[in-house]
């Protein structure tokens, strides 16, 4: 089972954080159109995790995706990392996001992904809050250590049921592979840009479950400039030292030149479903139960 997902936030972040040039609005629109055309070509439906602010400020983007029959998921309200929120703040954030998205698509939103995979051991209570808000499917678990998020030691690398208190969520974790003794992702984000297509294809062919996660900003071919100290601290919520900003610039630049075509080739090479479709095919009564 290969699951195709996209995290959509660029329009909103550009406006709110001021970290892109105004001309990129049209660039984002163009890349989205090309993605939707590719999925039409393959007759595939994906899950697009959108921030709630996008539905308020750029409703045409969310509507364009939904009108093509793709699932709209929630990617928080303003792309705030859940590790920075209290339970009360997360509840308000999620409720606001869901209302904004559902007002545009006229359909209940049941799937969620935390920005930066920011649900871990220290804020596992987030599952209870999400369930309380009506979320049924989650794709926030990165079962290893990573920048700004990750749930090291999470005992499942395939769809499972997460239980905490009275809440149960259907969890779809990120796919990992072992390289030089380390568990790393390969099917999305900067990892997708870094690894050769042959390496990614090989891992997908040998796996019976793969979760992909693409961002337009990762697929876009552009020179990645060093962020200003103010912009870096506003977005990443950490000190904008020269080292931190330089490392982020390098990470954002690697493999950007051919990323979009690489994604197209990968989509054409395999069959995919979205989270909604995957949910219907899994025998959840036989799934592993993870009590966190």
């Amino acid at each position: 089972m290969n699951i195709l997902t996209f995290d959509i936030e660029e329009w909103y972040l550009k406006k709110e954080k001021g970290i892109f040039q105004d001309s990129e609005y049209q660039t984002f629109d163009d890349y989205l159109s090309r993605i939707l055309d590719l999925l039409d070509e393959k007759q595939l439906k994906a899950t697009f995790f959108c921030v709630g602010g996008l539905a308020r400020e750029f409703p045409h983007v969310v509507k364009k995706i939904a009108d093509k029959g793709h699932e709209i998921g929630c990617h928080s309200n303003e792309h705030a990392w859940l590790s920075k929120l209290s339970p009360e703040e997360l509840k308000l954030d999620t409720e606001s996001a869901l209302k904004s998205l559902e007002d545009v698509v006229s359909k209940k939103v049941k799937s969620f992904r935390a920005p930066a995979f920011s649900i871990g051991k220290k804020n596992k209570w987030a599952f209870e809050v999400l369930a309380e808000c009506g979320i049924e499917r989650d794709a926030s678990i990165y079962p290893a250590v990573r920048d700004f998020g990750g749930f090291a030691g999470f005992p499942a690398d395939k769809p499972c049921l997460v239980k905490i208190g009275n809440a149960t969520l259907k969890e779809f974790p990120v796919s990992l592979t072992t390289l030089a003794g380390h568990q790393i992702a390969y099917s999305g984000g900067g990892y997708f840009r870094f690894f050769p297509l042959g390496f990614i294809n090989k891992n997908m062919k040998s796996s019976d479950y793969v979760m992909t996660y693409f961002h337009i900003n990762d697929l876009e071919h552009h020179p990645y400039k060093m962020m200003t100290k103010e912009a870096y601290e506003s977005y990443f919520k950490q000190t904008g030292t020269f080292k931190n900003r330089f490392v982020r610039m390098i990470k954002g630049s690697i493999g950007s030149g051919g990323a979009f075509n690489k994604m197209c080739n990968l989509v054409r090479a395999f069959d995919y479903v979205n989270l909604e479709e995957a949910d219907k095919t899994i025998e959840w009564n036989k799934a592993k139960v993870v009590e966190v």
Side-chain angles (χ1 to χ4, degrees), residues 1 159-161 170 172 277-289:
M1 174 186 293
C160 62
L161 295 172
K170 299 168 181 174
F172 295 82
E277 293 168 325
D279 185 358
K280 295 175 182 177
T281 64
I282 294 171
E283 295 182 82
W284 290 107
N285 60 323
K286 298 180 181 179
K288 183 173 183 176
V289 177

Side-chain angles (χ1 to χ4, degrees), residues 6 69 89 100 126 137 150 166 183 187 201 203 224 229 234 282:
F6 295 83
E89 290 170 332
S100 297
R137 299 179 286 265
N166 295 321
Q183 289 287 97
S187 55
N201 278 334
N203 276 278
Y224 197 102
K229 185 175 185 293
S234 173
I282 294 171

Side-chain angles (χ1 to χ4, degrees), residues 57-219:
E57 301 290 341
F58 301 91
H60 75 279
V61 176
V62 179
K63 191 172 189 307
K64 183 176 183 178
I65 297 168
D67 285 350
K68 287 286 188 176
H70 301 290
E71 180 190 12
I72 298 296
C74 179
H75 197 38
S76 83
N77 192 41
E78 298 182 333
H79 208 259
W81 297 332
L82 274 57
S83 54
K84 304 293 184 181
L85 301 178
S86 68
E88 294 76 19
E89 290 170 332
L90 176 58
K91 188 173 188 296
L92 290 174
D93 184 273
T94 306
E95 289 176 340
S96 180
L98 291 174
K99 182 180 185 307
S100 297
L101 292 168
E102 291 169 358
D103 283 348
V104 173
V105 302
S106 299
K107 182 179 180 180
K108 183 173 175 55
V109 173
K110 300 180 181 181
S111 297
F112 183 90
R113 171 172 288 147
F117 300 102
S118 51
I119 297 181
K121 292 180 180 179
K122 293 182 179 180
N123 66 332
K124 58 188 180 181
W125 47 259
F127 291 119
E128 288 187 278
V129 177
L130 294 175
E132 184 181 347
C133 292
I135 295 298
E136 299 178 9
R137 299 179 286 265
D138 180 68
S140 301
I141 293 298
Y142 184 103
V145 176
R146 75 180 302 274
D147 289 348
F148 313 119
F151 198 133
F154 188 81
D157 58 1
K158 292 179 174 62
C160 62
L161 295 172
V162 170
K163 295 192 68 174
I164 180 170
N166 295 321
T168 301
L169 282 178
K170 299 168 181 174
E171 180 61 42
F172 295 82
V174 170
S175 309
L176 302 180
T177 189
T178 302
L179 187 65
H182 297 282
Q183 289 287 97
I184 54 174
Y186 61 90
S187 55
Y191 299 99
F192 174 78
R193 288 187 283 105
F194 177 76
F195 288 119
L197 182 59
F199 176 85
I200 298 169
N201 278 334
K202 180 180 178 181
N203 276 278
M204 287 189 63
K205 287 178 180 177
S206 63
S207 303
D208 56 10
Y209 165 76
V210 177
M211 168 62 72
T212 66
Y213 59 102
F214 299 110
H215 300 76
I216 287 178
N217 196 48
D218 280 325
L219 300 173

Side-chain angles (χ1 to χ4, degrees), residues 219-278:
L219 300 173
E220 180 187 2
H221 178 35
H222 61 87
Y224 197 102
K225 299 179 181 179
M226 188 180 295
M227 298 172 70
T228 66
K229 185 175 185 293
E230 294 75 16
Y232 182 95
E233 291 178 348
S234 173
Y235 185 79
F236 291 108
K237 303 297 187 298
Q238 66 172 206
T239 305
T241 63
F242 177 85
K243 178 183 177 181
N244 286 345
R245 290 182 288 129
F246 181 77
V247 169
R248 180 52 50 182
M249 180 182 70
I250 297 301
K251 287 184 176 180
S253 301
I254 292 175
S256 64
F260 186 83
N261 286 337
K262 185 194 292 186
M263 184 274 295
C264 291
N265 288 332
L266 193 72
V267 170
R268 291 187 176 112
F270 295 91
D271 292 323
Y272 299 86
V273 294
N274 62 20
L275 254 71
E276 187 175 29
E277 293 168 325

Side-chain angles (χ1 to χ4, degrees), residues 10-11 20 24-32 216 220:
E10 285 80 3
W11 292 257
F20 302 118
E24 289 210 86
Y25 281 136
Q26 185 60 52
T27 301
F28 297 150
D29 284 337
D30 292 343
Y31 269 92
L32 177 60
I216 287 178
E220 180 187 2

